[in-house]
Amino acid sequence: MNNVKVREIIQNNATRKNHRLDRVMPTFFLVMALLSVATTIGIVLTLVTDASKFFASVPLREIFSTKLAPLSAQPSYGILPLLMGTAMTTLVAILVAVPIGMAAAVYLSQFASPKLRKVLKPVLEVLAGIPTIVYGFFAYSFVTPLLMNLIPSLEPKNALSPGIVMGIMIIPMVASLSEDAMNAVPEIMREGAYGLGSTKLEVATKVVIPSAISGILASIVLAVSRAVGETMIVTIASGSTKNFTFDITKSMQTMTAYIVEFTSGDAASGTTGYYSLYAVGLILFLFTMVVNLIAQYISKKLREEY
Amino acid sequence: MAKHVFSLAVVFAFVVLLLLLFNVGKDSIGWLTPGFLTRNLSIFPEKAGIWGAIKGSVYLMLIVIPTTLVLGVSTAIYLEEYASRGKVANFIRVNISNLASVPSVIFGLLGLAIFSRFLGLGSSILAGGLTMSLLVLPIVVVASQEAVRAVPGFLRDASYAMGADKWTTIRKVVLPVALPGILTGSILAMSRAIGETAPLVVLGIPTLIRKIPTSIMDDFTALPIQIYYWTLDTVLTPEYANLAAATIVVLLLVLFLMNAAAIIIRNKFQKKF
């Protein structure tokens, strides 16, 4: 704290050469910083105004129906098929990403030597840096044909293959967040368990994972948010059929894919179909916001004090 | 025993990565020629090229780089140097972390409503670039914040002791020392912007642009969009899968080079005080 005082004294005695610029710059930086806030406000305003036009013109009963046909002569705007598509692909992704990501985290934090970890981590991060469009191509041109050999009834566009690939994309995120949580467990707790004669596996499953559970849960919640918001993999590989089904071998459409399909077609400004994009966008936005708050809450509330 | 079970998870990730690279590489063999890079679009797959998409991606970066650098670094300086503990600073910080989690497709909707329709920029490079800038802004802010925070206090004190004021200290001492960190983060943000597809598709970037863009108000196509449309059209023309794969190889090479550059900058200029 002494340091700061010295700095203030020196600063106050500084020459006045650039005085005017020195007074202007803080305001300039503040204005630039506030532009990011303006972006958020812009997002909320556009989503809410355009979505409200949609909700004003479509009856609530229709919104919660299982029929979505925005381009037919008698358009219908049921959101349930999109929610189902999103839920199914997300579920598959989580089933892939969480066990594999956590196992990778346990391996990296418990078993790998520091040297090996230094090599493995960045390579694992490469998976996270690959553009989603590339994963989409991979899902459609490689994973789906591969799965068709195992499941003959699989449709060329389906919820299973993009779900799996999305899970693979999320593995590094789950692994790195979980590993951070596991590394935060104090060495003394591990040593204590080893001192009682535990094996490495017992230390991992009975000491490290339970102690790091808040960080692990937060990573899972964030993974869900990522899977729900992911767009290009599902757009390419799960198709555009607005199916309300639990069958993951069938083509389904997610909320994000609906937005892409509809805008790259002719979403004439001012039509109900155009406003439906913003209604779906608003639901997506609210979902990710809530999920992020939950993740923050979990990691704060459940953080163990050592 | 347990060790090997857990190591399988890492092995699985690597196998997938190799499969992906192998699959794309195999499909692009014979298609990734010098002509492919320098020709423009064509309805005949064997005559098609990605010159327009390359130029579109480059133009896009010419918008994204200055916009995000000015906005991102300024925000970071404000948060770290001027208002580190204030309420406004805290609000901006929370806002940025929230912005970072918004799905990219939502940024597309924002761009569509504000830049394309409200400001009348249509599906131009400018509209795409501004949308993409906002999308990657949080990455640049967070990286720059860390870089500025890592500049040791005694350097600032020394500058003040020489009679410099705050802005001079930031400009001549803090920013030069933080530059490698800022650059590393910015390169990673740019590599994200080059590969991102969803916001551009939502902006309504058209399928076939035969005209090579010459100004930022022109319509354009970019590498990821080209991959997207070719992947969609493989049902009609199977050769398009090869074109998509060849474009993916180009895109991944660019990304790997950028990542390598970021790592080199980080290792070379990392100063320990």
Side-chain angles (χ1 to χ4, degrees), chain A residues 40-271:
Chain A
T40 311
I41 297 172
I43 291 178
V44 173
L45 276 185
T46 47
L47 290 180
V48 169
T49 48
D50 284 353
S52 64
K53 285 174 195 154
F54 170 78
F55 289 118
S57 61
V58 179
L60 215 56
R61 198 191 310 151
E62 191 180 318
I63 294 171
F64 288 103
S65 74
T66 57
K67 191 164 176 271
L68 177 61
L71 292 175
S72 78
Q74 264 139 9
S76 160
Y77 296 100
I79 194 162
L80 291 183
L82 297 183
L83 291 181
M84 187 57 112
T86 307
M88 295 316 266
T89 48
T90 302
L91 186 70
V92 175
I94 293 304
L95 288 178
V96 171
V98 170
I100 298 177
M102 267 186 64
V106 170
Y107 178 74
L108 289 174
S109 78
Q110 290 294 100
F111 296 103
S113 67
K115 228 181 182 177
L116 188 60
R117 181 164 62 196
K118 246 189 152 172
V119 181
L120 289 184
K121 260 195 116 169
V123 184
L124 202 61
E125 297 292 316
V126 173
L127 277 180
I130 290 177
T132 56
I133 183 77
V134 176
Y135 275 121
F137 179 80
F138 181 63
Y140 178 68
S141 73
F142 183 80
V143 178
T144 299
L146 193 73
L147 289 173
M148 275 173 157
N149 291 328
L150 303 170
I151 314 165
S153 65
L154 194 72
E155 292 181 1
K157 303 248 178 174
N158 57 78
L160 180 62
S161 155
I164 293 173
V165 174
M166 220 150 79
I168 291 165
M169 179 189 79
I170 301 172
I171 288 174
M173 186 182 138
V174 175
S176 117
L177 290 175
S178 300
E179 200 215 342
D180 287 346
M182 290 176 192
N183 281 337
V185 176
E187 199 54 33
I188 201 163
M189 291 177 69
R190 294 197 185 90
E191 299 297 342
Y194 286 130
L196 292 170
S198 313
T199 64
K200 275 203 159 187
L201 178 65
E202 283 168 334
V203 173
T205 55
K206 293 183 180 159
V207 177
V208 177
I209 292 179
S211 311
I213 195 71
S214 62
I216 293 170
L217 279 179
S219 82
I220 295 173
V221 173
L222 289 176
V224 171
S225 153
R226 174 73 69 85
V228 167
E230 199 293 316
T231 310
M232 294 321 289
I233 303 175
V234 284
T235 303
I236 288 179
S238 74
S240 58
T241 320
K242 289 131 185 86
N243 253 335
F244 184 75
T245 170
F246 287 96
D247 188 354
I248 49 171
T249 64
K250 290 220 156 57
S251 169
M252 291 170 107
Q253 190 168 44
T254 64
M255 295 193 277
T256 51
Y258 174 77
I259 294 176
V260 167
E261 186 213 355
F262 215 88
T263 43
S264 49
D266 288 312
S269 189
T271 60

Side-chain angles (χ1 to χ4, degrees), chain B residues 125-147:
Chain B
I125 296 175
L126 187 58
L130 291 177
T131 306
M132 217 52 121
S133 301
L134 296 179
L135 174 72
V136 298
L137 183 62
I139 308 176
V140 178
V141 173
V142 171
S144 306
Q145 262 183 289
E146 273 166 22

